[in-house]
């Protein structure tokens, strides 16, 4: 039998399918282009930061975020720059911007323990610039952040050390000692932890235990 010509409906269906395919390809190309432009902006911002051009670094990081808001790296990098500005100027607005960006980064990448570690560092710096009577909230926030960091990176002694310092600041001496001892158990050559523990022993009149830690430091 002779082949039947395409019906009008089948031709229309093929045209629609082709149009949809072209549209999807165009959308994909635009997405890929945006992601590439975002990465280029991020790279430019990092180079500007290396050249100590902080304003240009911030501008480029913000461009990267506007093009690809779902990448935690861009938010954490912008937060780090704002934190540097806070350290230089003590401007609380920069600390708040750093906190905001790090919190966004944590939501986008909840398994990266470095992000809550950085957030805890920001809170601790705010606490140090605040009158003790008004700094309790910053200590609480820092403690929560470092606890999250230790959950995600349980073999990093520095977060445990910070938790020990916070516990000591609120006179939770048992928790302070337990945290720093855990850090030393994980990394026996973690000398800052041993030195801090020796200091705590001296403060609590346990001279023999302090002497033991100092001997360990000298031997190691």
């Amino acid at each position: 039998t002779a082949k039947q010509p395409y019906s009008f409906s089948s031709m229309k269906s093929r045209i629609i399918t082709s149009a949809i395919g072209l549209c999807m390809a165009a959308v994909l190309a635009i997405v890929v282009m945006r992601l590439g432009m975002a990465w280029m902006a991020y790279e430019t911002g990092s180079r500007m930061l290396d050249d100590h051009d902080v304003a240009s670094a911030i501008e480029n990081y913000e461009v990267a975020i506007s093009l690809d808001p779902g990448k935690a790296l861009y938010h954490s990098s912008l937060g780090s720059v704002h934190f540097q500005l806070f350290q230089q100027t003590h401007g609380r607005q920069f600390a708040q911007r750093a906190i905001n960006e790090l919190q966004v980064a944590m939501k986008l990448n909840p398994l990266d323990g470095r992000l809550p570690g950085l957030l805890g560092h920001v809170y601790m710096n705010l606490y140090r610039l605040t009158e003790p009577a008004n700094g309790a909230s910053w200590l609480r926030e820092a403690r929560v952040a470092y606890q999250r960091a230790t959950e995600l990176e349980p073999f990093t002694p520095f977060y445990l050390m910070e938790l020990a310092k916070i516990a000591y600041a609120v006179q939770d001496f048992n928790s302070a000692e337990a945290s720093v001892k855990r850090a030393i158990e994980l990394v026996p050559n973690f000398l800052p932890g041993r030195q801090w523990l020796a200091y705590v022993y001296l403060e609590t009149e346990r001279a023999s235990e302090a002497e033991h830690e100092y001997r360990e430091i000298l031997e190691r």
Side-chain angles (χ1 to χ4, degrees):
T1 58
K3 292 183 178 179
Q4 296 296 323
Y6 286 117
S7 66
F8 175 76
S9 61
S10 63
M11 290 178 63
K12 184 178 179 181
S13 176
R14 287 173 63 85
I15 291 171
I16 293 173
T17 301
S18 298
I20 292 173
L22 288 172
C23 288
M24 291 178 66
V27 169
L28 181 60
I30 292 171
V31 170
V32 171
M33 186 180 298
R34 284 176 63 91
L35 295 178
M37 291 173 64
W39 182 256
M40 289 175 62
Y42 168 75
E43 291 269 278
T44 301
S46 297
R47 288 196 299 272
M48 294 297 99
L49 191 60
D50 289 339
D51 293 336
H52 307 290
D53 187 350
V54 176
S56 295
I58 290 175
E59 182 179 347
N60 279 277
Y61 285 154
E62 288 177 343
V63 169
I65 289 171
S66 68
L67 293 169
D68 184 8
K71 199 171 187 66
L73 174 63
Y74 301 159
H75 291 280
S76 63
S77 297
L78 180 58
S80 295
V81 176
H82 283 306
F83 178 61
Q84 290 179 30
L85 288 173
F86 166 64
Q87 287 183 308
Q88 293 167 9
T89 65
H90 294 172
R92 300 294 178 103
Q93 72 274 21
F94 297 121
Q96 188 58 57
R97 291 170 192 169
I99 290 168
N100 294 342
E101 294 299 332
L102 288 171
Q103 287 175 336
V104 172
M106 287 169 60
K107 289 180 181 178
L108 294 171
N109 189 2
L111 299 181
D112 189 345
R114 294 171 299 177
L115 298 175
L118 287 170
L119 186 60
H121 193 49
V122 176
Y123 286 134
M124 283 303 293
N125 276 266
L126 279 167
Y127 166 72
R128 294 186 185 105
L129 292 174
T130 305
E131 292 294 328
N134 301 320
S137 61
W138 296 128
L139 273 184
R140 285 195 298 270
E141 295 289 356
R143 196 171 199 175
V144 170
Y146 281 125
Q147 284 173 340
R148 180 57 179 161
T150 57
E151 290 169 5
L152 294 171
E153 296 188 4
F155 302 109
T156 302
F158 299 101
Y159 302 146
L160 290 165
M161 179 73 177
E162 293 303 319
L163 278 176
K165 291 178 180 178
I166 294 169
Y168 191 83
V170 298
Q171 298 185 332
D172 185 358
F173 303 122
N174 290 334
S175 294
E177 188 172 327
S179 291
V180 76
K181 281 184 174 178
R182 183 180 163 201
I184 293 170
E185 288 172 2
L186 289 171
V187 184
N189 286 334
F190 183 49
L191 302 187
R194 289 188 178 277
Q195 183 178 14
W196 188 85
L197 185 58
Y199 165 77
V200 172
Y201 285 148
L202 288 174
E203 286 288 301
T204 53
E205 299 182 353
R206 287 181 284 174
S208 61
E209 291 171 274
E211 181 182 356
H212 171 76
E213 292 303 326
Y214 280 125
R215 289 186 182 278
E216 286 287 338
I217 291 170
L218 290 173
E219 290 176 7
R220 293 175 187 279

